[in-house]
Amino acid sequence: MRLLSENKVPIPLPTTPTPCRWSRWNDVITVDGDYMVVFNTLAQTAVLLRKEEYVPLERMPQETFDTLYQLGIIVANDKDETGIAARRFEEGKHDLSYLDLTILLTQQCQFRCVYCFEGTKKDIELDEDTSCDIIRFLESKSDGLKKLRVTWFGGEPLLAFARLKTLSQRLISFCEQHHINYIADMVTNGYNLTEERCRDLTQDLRIRRYIITLDGPAPMHDKRRPLRSGLPTFNKVWDNITALVKIGALVNLRMTIDRENLGSIPALLDKIASGPFARKTGLSFCRTMDYDFTPDTVQEVIFNEREFADIEWGLIQYAHQLGLWGYRFPHSAPLGGCLRRGDIVIGTRGEIFKCLDTVGDERWISGHITGEDTNHPEWYAQWLNWSPTQSASCRVCVLQPLCNGGCPHNALFTDKKHGNTTQCPDWKANYKRQIIELAKEYITRNNLSK
């Protein structure tokens, strides 16, 4: 037996003999013919076992038994594992010690991306009144608040740089005064960055992680993500990513993929692998989605979920060959998922959405940051009361403690296009393939095949 991960808080061994069993949250994944990975999705621990080690507990060596018990992979017969997961989910929904705010600074964008899901852009920017409302909202939640995460979003958030700067400074000051851990991200097209602005954003405003989209090498990217004037954007965005990485920022390169640009993605990966930020950024391969505002011409080139699973896996393998991708276990969503009371999207006028992908659609406004609008829409109570236990597929799925039931909007509302036809997370399609390859690398590196 070899550990592939460790429980940071080992479970104490029972002081008296207790009837035990394998956990119901164990995902058992066969690796070649001789090995298997046992991945416990509740404790988020994993071990690599030879097949002959996966035996009835009464035949297991005591040392192995003790280790697996402390990892949560073996549990007492009377442990209510399903109830534990359900209670954690409900507790997470109401936990306000961690707030995750996505703030739309502006509805404007200087790009004209062919697949944009936000619809017609309005010339509206987050104003001073709404900035003050956000601070007042945080002050009302300050008791017990330990962590604040802010994601700056738009439109294009850098078009409202002055507002971004002043509100960031207020948020940082607020967190320092109340001893709250402050973390900030940004979703940006990267065009309005400069070396000086990169330093300001990353060092002074503490925005350490950036999500930036590249849809292929310059010819393809510029076709899909031009300026509104039609001028190209790739070269400037590339230089700005280089500047961000140079000063130590974390950058995740997102690729939005459909039939139009799939053939260009390997060339983009080659360019990244030989470029100035090789192996210094993260990668995300994302399927172009069919949202409410997706143009008909784009819908014609979109891959369905089943098609994209194999496409994504091929790109992951190619990126791995280039040294750009390390195989990994899936990370868990925050307990309560996006149903968390502390997980909200704030529009430019202080309106609250519960899902980033509903921005621009007034049907899905659930309230206002001031709390003055108490007339929630009809769907809101149903949304808040949902849990994975209400879903027949979630109840029997071993991944439930990791994904927290995925997307409740897709589980509940068929009239909202959310890109996918199920509520399952995107990573589900290929997580087993990644774990298998991770285990194979471990076996080879440690000469276990001999």
Side-chain angles (χ1 to χ4, degrees), residues 40-108:
N40 188 275
T41 59
L42 185 66
Q44 295 181 51
T45 55
V47 294
L48 179 69
L49 299 176
R50 289 187 179 274
K51 279 197 170 180
E52 57 267 24
E53 294 179 297
Y54 190 70
V55 296
L57 302 189
E58 62 270 17
R59 290 168 42 197
M60 184 175 290
Q62 189 64 43
E63 182 179 358
T64 301
F65 176 93
D66 290 348
T67 299
L68 295 178
Y69 188 95
Q70 290 184 304
L71 292 171
I73 292 172
I74 290 174
V75 299
N77 273 350
D78 59 358
K79 186 172 184 178
D80 181 14
E81 294 187 280
T82 302
I84 289 171
R87 286 192 296 274
R88 287 186 183 181
F89 180 85
E90 290 300 322
E91 289 169 0
K93 283 168 64 172
H94 302 287
D95 179 15
L96 290 176
S97 66
Y98 169 36
L99 292 183
D100 194 338
L101 308 184
T102 298
I103 301 176
L104 276 72
L105 288 166
T106 176
Q107 295 184 26
Q108 269 301 318

Side-chain angles (χ1 to χ4, degrees), residues 28-225:
V28 182
I29 303 168
T30 300
V31 181
D32 288 337
D34 298 325
Y35 285 91
M36 58 179 54
V37 172
V38 182
F39 173 35
N40 188 275
T41 59
L42 185 66
Q44 295 181 51
T45 55
V47 294
L48 179 69
L49 299 176
R50 289 187 179 274
K51 279 197 170 180
E52 57 267 24
E53 294 179 297
Y54 190 70
V55 296
L57 302 189
E58 62 270 17
R59 290 168 42 197
M60 184 175 290
Q62 189 64 43
E63 182 179 358
T64 301
F65 176 93
D66 290 348
T67 299
L68 295 178
Y69 188 95
Q70 290 184 304
L71 292 171
I73 292 172
I74 290 174
V75 299
N77 273 350
D78 59 358
K79 186 172 184 178
D80 181 14
E81 294 187 280
T82 302
I84 289 171
R87 286 192 296 274
R88 287 186 183 181
F89 180 85
E90 290 300 322
E91 289 169 0
K93 283 168 64 172
H94 302 287
D95 179 15
L96 290 176
S97 66
Y98 169 36
L99 292 183
D100 194 338
L101 308 184
T102 298
I103 301 176
L104 276 72
L105 288 166
T106 176
Q107 295 184 26
Q108 269 301 318
C109 182
Q110 76 277 51
F111 277 27
R112 191 182 69 244
C113 300
V114 297
Y115 47 74
C116 183
F117 70 87
E118 292 186 17
T120 303
K121 302 293 190 296
K122 300 177 181 178
D123 190 14
I124 301 176
E125 183 175 317
L126 187 141
D127 59 19
E128 177 64 16
D129 288 343
T130 303
S131 296
C132 293
D133 289 338
I134 291 172
I135 299 299
R136 281 192 286 267
F137 169 79
L138 291 173
E139 288 172 344
S140 72
K141 308 295 182 186
S142 60
D143 288 345
L145 179 57
K146 297 178 181 178
K147 179 180 177 181
L148 171 65
R149 184 188 195 104
V150 173
T151 298
W152 300 106
F153 195 76
E156 169 47 46
L158 290 175
L159 292 181
F161 180 72
R163 179 64 59 192
L164 165 65
K165 186 172 183 177
T166 57
L167 185 51
S168 289
Q169 290 169 339
R170 292 181 189 179
L171 292 171
I172 292 168
S173 177
F174 167 83
C175 288
E176 288 176 346
Q177 291 174 18
H178 293 84
H179 308 289
I180 297 166
N181 182 25
Y182 178 76
I183 302 171
D185 306 331
M186 178 182 287
V187 180
T188 173
N189 58 40
Y191 191 82
N192 276 28
L193 289 167
T194 63
E195 287 195 28
E196 180 180 1
R197 187 167 283 183
C198 287
R199 285 192 296 272
D200 289 344
L201 291 167
T202 303
Q203 297 171 6
D204 296 340
L205 304 184
R206 301 189 192 178
I207 303 172
R208 303 292 167 81
R209 180 172 175 264
Y210 301 79
I211 301 170
I212 302 175
T213 298
L214 294 174
D215 273 0
M220 180 58 69
H221 176 92
D222 292 338
K223 178 182 178 182
R224 292 165 62 86
R225 297 178 63 83

Side-chain angles (χ1 to χ4, degrees), residues 30 54 70 77 117 121 136 143 147 151 179 226 231 247 251 255 285 290 322 336 343-345 370 375 382 401 408 434:
T30 300
Y54 190 70
Q70 290 184 304
N77 273 350
F117 70 87
K121 302 293 190 296
R136 281 192 286 267
D143 288 345
K147 179 180 177 181
T151 298
H179 308 289
L231 291 175
I247 63 173
V251 178
M255 300 165 205
F285 303 114
D290 183 6
L322 295 173
D343 189 341
I344 63 175
V345 181
T370 61
N375 296 317
Q382 185 183 8
Q434 291 209 66

